[in-house]
Amino acid sequence: MHAGRWKTWTRRLAFALAGFILLTALAAWLLLCASLAQLDGERRAPALVAPVTVARDAAGVPLIRGNNRFDLAYATGFVHAQERYFQMDLLRRTAAGELAALFGPRALPLDRARRLHRFRARAVRVLASMPPQDRLFIDRYVAGVNAGVDALGARPFEYLLTGSAPLPWRAEDSLLAVWAMFIDLQGNQAPRELARGWLRARSDAAQLAFLLPTASRWDAPLDNAVAPPDAPVPATAPEWWGTAPTRPASLALRERTELVGSNNYAIAGSRSTTGAAIVADDMHLGLQLPNIWYRLALAYPDGQGRERRLVGVTLPGAPPLVIAGSNGKVAWGFTNSYGDYLDLVEVRFDRARPGEVRTPRGWERPAEYVETIEVKGAAAERLVVRETAFGPLRAAGGATYALHWVAHDPGALNLNHLRLEEADTVEAALAIAAVDGIPAQNFVAGDSAGNIGWTIAGRLPLRASVASAADASFPLQSGAPTPPWDGLLAPEQYPRVLNPPDGQLSTANSRQLLGLAGKLVGDGGFDLGARSSQLRDRLRALGARTDEAGAFAVALDDRALFIAGWRARALAVLDPAALQRHPRRAAFRHLLETSWSGRADTASVGYRLARDFMWALHDLCFDGVDAQLAALDPKATMALANPRWPAVVARLLDEQPPGWLPPGQRNWRDVQLAAVDRVIAELEHTGIPLEQATWGARNTAAIVHPIALAMPALGTWLGVPPDQLAGDAHMPRVAGPKFGQSERMTVSPGREEAGLYNMPGGQSGHPLSPYFRHGHDEWVRARALPLLPGPARHTLTLTP
């Protein structure tokens, strides 16, 4: 009897425990569901002048229709906050240096680096001087954001998981989101200058000219200028060239990647099937869930009572502008310009002048600001920032520099981008671009009349002379005769190209201009140019007439034209003598020959081996110096100092100068065989049979929500499938595990119904939303979707 009662109570306890677990799971599920965006119904919004409708299609893409642009700003803020608030929060915290308050001490190193710029204080000053209508526009967006968060049934799920609460959105936060893009797009310029300064100090003029070429044979400049001749290879290498690599061969290749990209291009009406221009844009960025962009369409009456319709992408958190898209008359898109927008200005100290520093303008006493960094779970940290007239002070490599960055200039941020919504012609759009308050970008536009044009959008530094522009890619040494930039370039001085004779324009992060006008932009790390020339030539191959589908396909070009040259080098060195008694080398050569399609396709072993062969040569030449550069800044590398390093290595292999042989190598044939052996050793170390080392196995999507980085167990729930991705660097279809085409957009102004679009991930940042990954598979498979929202499936009405 006693045993029976015990079994009964055991069963009851088990049922009770199971019930408790189910109820807990149900409660958690209901709580998560409560933080989903409201899709239907009606909601009061006293800040509105007139009702606004938010009609979402099957993919969650909204058409937001209202009576005026300010009401649409409010509604956009409401939608952004409901779908993407945590993403917005990360953007403002990234720029302001406030991540440790959310993630604890592990975020302190990043916060310390960001606080140096004091962007939150700068945002307050910019807002104070902003035109009243622009400030009202931001304020309406802010009101919509806070209303959107408050309308959720529960905190966004990320705050539930991290045990924190979302802070209200403020006007300065929207400017911080823009500065976060400055950091993302221009944040490598300081370590680049440090690396180049280190090389200058340890190389003579001839060696430096060879190691840091200003152009390459792959460049495709818009002004069609001819690249200057290559500097000769000096007889001897710098002393540092002989530095032995510090990493084992089995670890070096695994870390090598190239995170640069973006394509935009325009085809004139003279070459389109309709007579209107075609504009295509695919901005390449780090990828995560949710995607950085939020797609939408806006509709409101223009000044003549007609409906104005805009379609494109917005940046949640930033002022609610259509970043890239079409207004029905003009379409536009961006790529990062990689101009030179930051100078490291060396300052000096003198014990006889305590508290002062010497800058190019003489002695001054830096202002001191105390920044308090809140830290979750720990005491707050106090950081003192010293700032000169040239910018905040930073120490590196035994020297102290002022960071003289365009992003610090009060004129760097504004809302002039909003004026693009009303531009009727390409010429009007180019004029607006020259006063746009964004990180400086290649701006390509086309209009419904068939005109196309290029310029730089965003503020450019005003340099004193062509000579100062040439010297600006190195740190400015104390006492140097060349002054740093001073002020901003006048809009009428901006370089531009309008209606070129061949009816096409394209940019891909490489040097845009080789003539004197290019000095206005400077070189802040231009890409090699192989992708740019392949893009240009692919556009030419479209012929006399094309349409949106033909233009869209150009961004999917994954032909391995650049890597083919390195494959040819590997095949040439793997001759019968090199293969004798080396069966793995023989297998390497066999795969180069047989598993090669001429593309960066996922099934190709040959592509991966040829690519890794190139990078192994890089490591044999530069791995030792990279270890020394890392002491200056973790990001400082030879590849950052000179993205044209493949051209340098190729010339060494072609000319075979004995004075430049890497340590331990007898001749350049041995160098190339050592690179082959290095690739084989790497793959053997990872346990991958050579025959199974496909490009797809290496290039597998690893796109996740930021929360999954802190909680890896949630990676499956908060990530995308591990799809193998075609494409790579140095070709239009740039693709990496966590980097690539953040959107693909092709549109002809006035023909938005025929516009095409893709993006990784979906519209929502909530994993329970049907829009969390909606459209992602189409991005992977490159199946274009309509740019405009489809028929409404859900409609939310916001009423005054």
Side-chain angles (χ1 to χ4, degrees):
M1 188 69 178
H2 177 74
R5 284 200 301 268
W6 175 255
K7 290 181 180 179
T8 299
W9 281 105
T10 300
R11 285 195 297 269
R12 289 176 178 175
L13 182 60
F15 283 131
L17 182 61
F20 175 76
I21 293 173
L22 287 173
L23 287 173
T24 302
L26 178 62
W29 180 267
L30 292 174
L31 192 60
L32 288 174
C33 288
S35 63
L36 285 165
Q38 181 179 351
L39 305 181
D40 294 290
E42 187 172 303
R43 179 167 288 277
R44 288 291 307 280
L48 295 178
V49 173
V52 176
T53 58
V54 180
R56 287 177 170 90
D57 69 3
V61 181
L63 168 60
I64 305 177
R65 177 174 273 114
N67 192 53
N68 62 78
R69 193 62 179 86
F70 293 100
D71 280 356
L72 294 188
Y74 177 96
T76 304
F78 187 94
V79 170
H80 279 173
Q82 291 227 313
E83 301 276 24
R84 302 284 194 90
Y85 194 76
F86 187 73
Q87 173 195 5
M88 297 162 60
D89 195 8
L90 291 186
L91 279 177
R92 65 174 171 181
R93 289 178 183 273
T94 294
E98 296 169 354
L99 290 167
L102 193 61
F103 297 112
R106 60 184 167 178
L108 272 173
L110 190 58
D111 278 359
R112 294 186 191 112
R114 299 292 184 258
R115 287 297 179 101
L116 191 67
H117 305 289
R118 302 181 57 252
F119 281 135
R120 186 169 286 283
R122 296 181 195 278
V124 172
R125 292 201 297 270
V126 170
L127 286 169
S129 61
M130 188 171 281
Q133 288 295 98
D134 289 352
R135 177 59 195 265
L136 177 61
F137 186 75
I138 291 180
D139 287 343
R140 296 297 288 277
Y141 177 71
V142 170
V145 168
N146 289 321
V149 173
D150 291 343
L152 294 173
R155 290 176 284 173
F157 83 94
E158 297 94 342
Y159 300 98
L160 296 172
L161 292 175
T162 57
S164 54
L167 298 177
W169 197 259
R170 294 186 283 180
E172 56 264 33
D173 294 334
S174 288
L175 299 187
L176 287 169
V178 181
W179 267 308
M181 295 306 296
F182 271 94
I183 292 168
D184 190 26
L185 298 171
Q186 299 176 8
N188 283 339
Q189 295 207 357
R192 167 182 157 82
E193 287 210 3
L194 288 171
R196 291 171 69 86
W198 189 96
L199 294 168
R200 178 179 61 183
R202 292 161 178 81
S203 311
D204 64 34
Q207 292 164 344
L208 199 67
F210 167 65
L211 288 165
L212 303 179
T214 59
S216 80
R217 65 182 179 84
W218 292 286
D219 281 322
L222 299 175
D223 56 2
N224 295 315
V226 178
D230 292 329
V233 181
T236 58
E239 289 185 12
W240 55 263
W241 185 261
T243 307
T246 58
R247 294 178 297 177
S250 60
L251 297 179
L253 287 174
R254 193 181 313 161
E255 301 167 7
R256 298 306 187 191
T257 187
E258 298 155 293
L259 300 182
V260 64
S262 288
N263 309 309
N264 66 0
Y265 44 99
I267 299 168
S270 60
R271 290 181 52 194
S272 78
T273 56
T274 65
I278 302 173
V279 174
D281 186 53
D282 52 292
M283 298 178 278
H284 306 167
L285 296 165
L287 303 179
Q288 63 181 24
L289 293 181
N291 185 33
I292 188 170
W293 308 118
Y294 185 84
R295 180 162 57 117
L296 50 65
L298 303 172
Y300 64 101
D302 64 12
Q304 286 73 45
R306 298 186 297 265
E307 183 174 79
R308 183 188 305 279
R309 184 181 64 183
L310 306 164
V311 61
V313 296
T314 59
L315 175 63
L321 315 168
V322 175
I323 304 298
S326 177
N327 68 11
K329 296 287 188 179
V330 176
W332 63 93
F334 297 103
T335 67
N336 197 17
S337 60
Y338 284 91
D340 187 7
Y341 311 125
L342 180 147
D343 289 344
L344 291 179
V345 182
E346 187 178 6
V347 301
R348 292 292 176 91
F349 302 88
D350 190 329
R351 291 182 180 179
R353 305 181 75 108
E356 295 185 61
V357 298
R358 183 170 185 173
T359 74
R361 291 179 182 164
W363 290 94
E364 69 169 280
R365 185 176 296 275
E368 290 192 356
Y369 302 94
V370 176
E371 293 284 314
T372 301
I373 305 176
E374 300 294 335
V375 184
K376 182 180 180 181
E381 182 174 295
R382 183 176 179 270
L383 179 71
V384 177
V385 177
R386 303 181 69 205
E387 190 166 322
T388 71
F390 290 97
L393 297 179
R394 174 196 171 175
T400 300
Y401 303 95
L403 274 68
H404 195 40
W405 188 13
V406 169
H408 297 155
D409 192 281
L413 267 68
N414 58 51
L415 295 194
N416 287 336
H417 193 91
L418 188 62
R419 293 162 52 190
L420 284 172
E421 298 181 1
E422 300 179 0
D424 289 335
T425 66
V426 158
E427 289 207 55
L430 296 181
I432 295 166
V435 295
D436 204 347
I438 61 173
Q441 301 287 292
N442 288 308
F443 178 84
V444 165
D447 62 29
S448 56
N451 302 296
I452 58 174
W454 165 89
T455 189
I456 296 292
R459 307 315 306 273
L460 295 177
L462 175 62
R463 300 197 181 275
S465 65
V466 170
S468 68
D471 294 340
S473 60
F474 296 93
L476 182 66
Q477 295 173 313
S478 179
T482 303
W485 63 271
D486 187 14
L488 301 175
L489 187 70
E492 59 271 16
Q493 294 180 282
Y494 272 51
R496 59 161 58 184
V497 176
L498 184 65
N499 289 330
D502 61 355
Q504 68 178 58
L505 288 167
S506 59
T507 75
N509 310 117
S510 61
R511 186 177 288 281
Q512 310 94 338
L513 305 167
L514 279 168
L516 285 178
K519 304 293 185 182
L520 299 173
V521 181
D523 182 354
F526 289 132
D527 196 18
L528 176 69
R531 176 164 48 89
S532 187
S533 58
Q534 186 167 332
L535 179 65
R536 176 202 60 198
D537 295 345
R538 183 68 181 82
L539 286 169
R540 287 175 177 170
L542 291 176
R545 297 288 174 182
T546 192
D547 58 11
E548 291 88 344
F552 186 88
V554 172
L556 304 174
D557 181 3
D558 58 5
R559 290 175 298 152
L561 304 184
F562 175 73
I563 292 297
W566 297 97
R567 172 179 175 265
R569 291 181 185 277
L571 287 171
V573 78
L574 289 171
D575 56 20
L579 304 185
Q580 190 173 8
R581 296 189 298 276
H582 287 282
R584 301 311 290 156
R585 288 182 184 173
F588 192 102
R589 179 185 174 93
H590 176 73
L591 290 165
L592 282 177
E593 292 175 322
T594 61
S595 185
W596 172 265
S597 65
R599 299 178 177 273
D601 68 70
T602 58
S604 175
V605 177
Y607 178 82
R608 179 174 178 177
L609 297 183
R611 181 190 193 274
D612 284 354
F613 170 71
M614 177 190 72
W615 273 105
L617 287 165
H618 167 280
D619 290 344
L620 288 167
C621 293
F622 304 121
D623 197 25
V625 71
D626 276 356
Q628 299 182 64
L629 293 175
L632 291 173
D633 188 288
K635 293 183 178 180
T637 64
M638 187 66 190
L640 184 64
N642 174 27
R644 305 174 191 91
W645 67 263
V648 173
V649 174
R651 291 192 62 201
L652 291 174
L653 297 180
D654 291 338
E655 301 184 31
Q656 302 193 2
W660 286 78
L661 281 169
Q665 305 297 331
R666 297 175 303 170
N667 54 55
W668 286 100
R669 171 186 168 82
D670 284 356
V671 173
Q672 294 177 80
L673 290 174
V676 170
D677 293 341
R678 194 178 178 95
V679 175
I680 294 171
E682 156 67 9
L683 292 171
E684 289 178 346
H685 177 82
T686 58
I688 303 174
L690 206 60
E691 298 76 10
Q692 297 177 20
T694 63
W695 177 237
R698 161 69 171 77
N699 204 40
T700 300
I703 305 169
V704 298
H705 191 287
I707 288 293
L709 301 177
M711 303 176 181
L714 300 177
T716 301
W717 187 48
L718 295 176
V720 302
D723 295 298
Q724 296 188 353
L725 304 174
D728 190 18
H730 302 308
M731 59 187 65
R733 190 172 185 173
V734 170
K738 301 178 183 179
F739 184 88
Q741 296 171 321
S742 65
E743 47 78 49
R744 303 183 190 116
M745 179 185 71
T746 302
V747 62
S748 186
R751 286 177 40 85
E752 288 73 21
E753 285 76 8
L756 302 171
Y757 187 81
N758 277 149
M759 77 178 191
Q763 289 285 98
S764 175
H766 199 301
L768 298 185
S769 169
Y771 312 130
F772 184 55
R773 301 184 189 90
H774 199 291
H776 178 77
D777 188 63
E778 284 76 9
W779 174 80
V780 171
R781 313 298 167 204
R783 294 194 294 263
L785 298 172
L787 174 63
L788 282 175
R793 296 289 184 87
H794 302 277
T795 301
L796 173 68
T797 302
L798 304 175
T799 60

